[in-house]
Amino acid sequence: MNNTLIIGQYVPGNSVVHRLDPRTKITIIFFFVIIVFFANSFWSYAVLTLFGLLSMFASKVPIRFVMKGLMPIWFLIVFTFLLHLFINKDGILLLEWSFIKIYTGGVIQGIAISMRFFLLILITSLLTLTTTPIAITDAVEQILHPLKKIKFPVHELALMMSISLRFIPTLLQETDKISKAQASRGVDFRTGPVKERLKAVIPLLVPLFVSAFKRAEELAMAMEARGYQGGEGRTKLRELKISKLDIWIYILFICVIIGLFLTRNYG
Amino acid sequence: MKIKDMIICSLFAALMAVGANVAPFLTIGGIPITLQLLFAILAGGLLGSRLGSLAMGLYLLLGLIGAPVFAQFRGGIGSILSPTFGYVISFIFVAYVVGKLLEKESVSRVHYISAGMLAIIVNYIIGTNYTYFALTFWAEAPEGFSYIVAWSWMGAYLPIDIGVTIFALIMVPKLKKALNYRPEVKQKAA
């Protein structure tokens, strides 16, 4: 459990998608999410699907990891598909069985909307599958850098995110330790009515919070003692670099956008 | 912002991630309850409105960049599409309203009760509207899906959430005493 959390959903690798600069990936995904909503014809969906599948195979991430990303909204996809199937009444009547009537319009609409979800999830989960959260944090800091001009605390935000990421596994471990310690003293978490079990959370929560706050205090003091004073003039451990590969991917993506608008249905 | 406040916010966001997933023993009908609402209220109560809502915002960002911090170890930008993402957004406002009510000098029982009620109201209004919005906008659900249907779905969780809220509000003064941490509240110039 702890190991999966440190690295998130990241699948280590050295594929083309892994080697891309995280800023490139974030930018492309940002625009992809927007243009998905412009697709409205068979060929425009085909262009986007081709790009999505191409990225997936280029990333060499096993398909079951991608499928795992689909799980949270699996229900939504099925639900919308059925809703469109049964309620949309455009086109030719395909099937009639007592009160259920299925029209071609419903089938097409249902498939189109499900495809949209599939593409969105596919491309966004590729980001988290091929990039560590810490790399994304660095990239976000770089992308938002211009906002510093309007006094938006970009560096502070990135620092806070890195600290959180660093401490999630620690706190999970701590929780595990405390709950075992309390269980050995006779606290029963697993049986009894819900109210009793909620009460059993108290001897877990109080030490957890106390230790978390103590850690915060120690860390703050350590940082102050080492003269931490914000982002001005700090150097970085991990430098981001735009390579030739990134530029090629940008060009490819612009082609996809052009392709989408050429095959789109106007009218 | 003081370094200590910044770090406390980060740690609270991390605590929230723990709270979303740490209670496998708290199940009702096989569905694990998350303690997210509990932690959101505690964030407001312990850190105050400003830092509390900041911590919750941080938690949301952590989830979006792909750390599996949401319930059932989920995360990633894709979670925006999930119909229950509205609850994650609502925690920012829950922490804010609870913090606003409880950060005063003298806090009475009335403050606690109204904080609890407001927390649930904010949580449900934002959460349910998001569900409705998600289903109508992204899924383009036709007329068959009405606003009332969305609300009746959510109503099923109400008793649990009320219980968790009451529990959270009992915990706030206890933890305050144990932690001995006073958030900086901007005092109006007298």
Side-chain angles (χ1 to χ4, degrees):
Chain A
M1 178 167 104
N2 287 325
N3 281 329
T4 59
L5 228 110
I6 294 166
I7 48 172
Q9 294 136 308
Y10 178 64
V11 181
N14 193 26
S15 72
V16 177
V17 185
H18 281 88
R19 272 181 285 140
L20 278 180
D21 188 290
R23 285 172 293 181
T24 311
K25 287 189 252 189
I26 292 175
T27 321
I28 286 180
I29 282 161
F30 180 77
F31 286 107
F32 189 86
V33 167
I34 296 171
I35 62 169
V36 163
F37 287 90
F38 284 98
N40 60 1
S41 70
F42 175 77
W43 286 109
S44 55
Y45 271 108
V47 169
L48 293 179
T49 313
L50 190 71
F51 178 74
L53 292 179
L54 206 72
S55 335
M56 188 180 92
F57 288 119
S59 74
K60 290 183 187 152
V61 171
I63 294 177
R64 76 197 147 88
F65 285 100
V66 181
M67 284 298 151
K68 238 168 91 189
L70 276 172
M71 286 310 282
I73 65 153
W74 188 238
F75 162 76
L76 191 65
I77 294 179
V78 174
F79 176 79
T80 34
F81 181 73
L82 292 178
L83 215 57
H84 282 285
L85 200 61
F86 292 135
I87 297 178
N88 195 314
K89 294 213 171 0
D90 296 333
I92 316 153
L93 187 67
L94 271 184
L95 195 79
E96 193 173 356
W97 183 67
S98 71
F99 64 95
I100 296 170
K101 286 178 184 154
I102 294 174
Y103 293 83
T104 46
V107 176
I108 293 168
Q109 190 75 355
I111 292 174
I113 305 286
S114 313
M115 265 324 274
R116 178 191 290 176
F117 275 118
F118 174 74
L119 286 173
L120 285 172
I121 295 299
L122 175 68
I123 214 81
T124 49
S125 47
L126 271 185
L127 173 72
T128 43
L129 287 170
T130 60
T131 328
T132 53
I134 208 83
I136 300 178
T137 308
D138 287 345
V140 169
E141 185 183 356
Q142 290 283 309
I143 289 172
L144 296 182
H145 196 75
L147 286 181
K148 264 203 164 148
K149 292 230 164 63
I150 56 165
K151 292 264 162 70
F152 185 80
V154 179
H155 169 77
E156 281 75 11
L157 196 69
L159 175 79
M160 285 163 78
M161 281 163 79
S162 321
I163 292 177
S164 289
L165 286 173
R166 157 72 183 76
F167 275 101
I168 291 169
T170 315
L171 290 179
L172 266 178
Q173 243 166 24
E174 195 118 323
T175 315
D176 194 42
K177 221 194 292 176
I178 296 170
S179 67
K180 273 180 191 148
Q182 300 292 27
S184 75
R185 293 182 178 89
V187 176
D188 184 7
F189 295 112
R190 279 161 214 282
T191 51
V194 175
K195 198 184 153 207
E196 292 302 310
R197 275 189 270 176
L198 260 182
K199 260 190 196 160
V201 176
I202 298 177
L204 182 69
L205 276 191
V206 175
L208 180 65
F209 273 70
V210 169
S211 96
F213 275 59
K214 212 188 247 165
R215 271 174 202 282
E217 202 153 324
E218 278 164 11
L219 182 59
M221 214 176 305
M223 282 170 74
E224 261 164 6
R226 285 164 178 75
Y228 173 81
Q229 46 183 352
E232 279 312 308
R234 275 179 78 80
T235 50
K236 281 196 168 357
L237 177 65
R238 299 172 296 269
E239 294 273 5
L240 298 175
K241 247 200 207 127
I242 296 275
S243 65
K244 241 183 217 157
L245 180 70
D246 293 282
I247 294 165
W248 281 114
I249 297 293
Y250 274 123
I251 293 170
L252 174 73
F253 186 63
I254 289 168
C255 293
V256 168
I257 297 181
I258 295 169
L260 169 76
F261 282 97
L262 285 180
T263 52
R264 201 172 165 257
N265 213 345
Y266 297 93
Chain B
M1 202 200 289
K2 283 190 349 201
I3 293 181
K4 193 182 164 193
D5 288 346
M6 269 166 64
I7 292 172
I8 287 216
C9 274
S10 324
L11 281 218
F12 220 103
L15 277 174
M16 180 80 175
V18 174
N21 290 307
V22 88
F25 40 88
L26 278 174
T27 54
I28 289 183
I31 307 160
I33 310 174
T34 78
L35 293 178
Q36 282 168 308
L37 183 62
L38 172 77
F39 277 69
I41 294 171
L42 290 180
L46 297 175
L47 305 187
S49 55
R50 194 172 63 100
L51 295 180
S53 49
L54 182 62
M56 293 298 105
L58 209 56
Y59 169 71
L60 184 146
L61 282 178
L62 285 177
L64 287 187
I65 65 163
V69 295
F70 295 152
Q72 278 124 54
F73 291 111
R74 281 166 188 166
I77 317 180
S79 358
I80 292 184
L81 293 174
S82 152
T84 52
F85 185 69
Y87 291 98
V88 181
I89 299 174
S90 80
F91 294 138
I92 299 174
F93 298 95
V94 168
Y96 187 83
V97 291
V98 173
K100 262 281 169 253
L101 277 164
L102 299 185
E103 69 193 356
K104 300 206 176 65
E105 285 287 296
S106 59
V107 183
S108 68
R109 189 164 289 181
V110 182
H111 283 116
Y112 275 103
I113 295 169
S114 43
M117 292 208 296
L118 269 177
I120 290 189
I121 291 169
V122 168
N123 186 232
Y124 272 74
I125 286 182
I126 298 176
T128 312
N129 278 308
Y130 194 91
T131 309
Y132 179 70
F133 180 76
L135 290 178
T136 45
F137 184 65
W138 294 306
E140 291 179 11
E143 285 95 78
F145 178 76
S146 74
Y147 198 57
I148 298 152
V149 176
W151 274 98
S152 54
W153 261 355
M154 297 306 147
Y157 292 94
L158 192 59
I160 305 166
D161 283 339
I162 290 176
V164 168
T165 308
I166 294 170
F167 177 70
L169 291 170
I170 295 170
M171 290 296 291
V172 168
K174 281 187 191 184
L175 280 172
K176 252 187 186 165
K177 221 161 129 196
L179 297 172
N180 200 17
Y181 171 72
R182 299 225 164 274
E184 226 183 315
V185 180
K186 275 183 192 152
Q187 303 287 339
K188 279 182 194 138

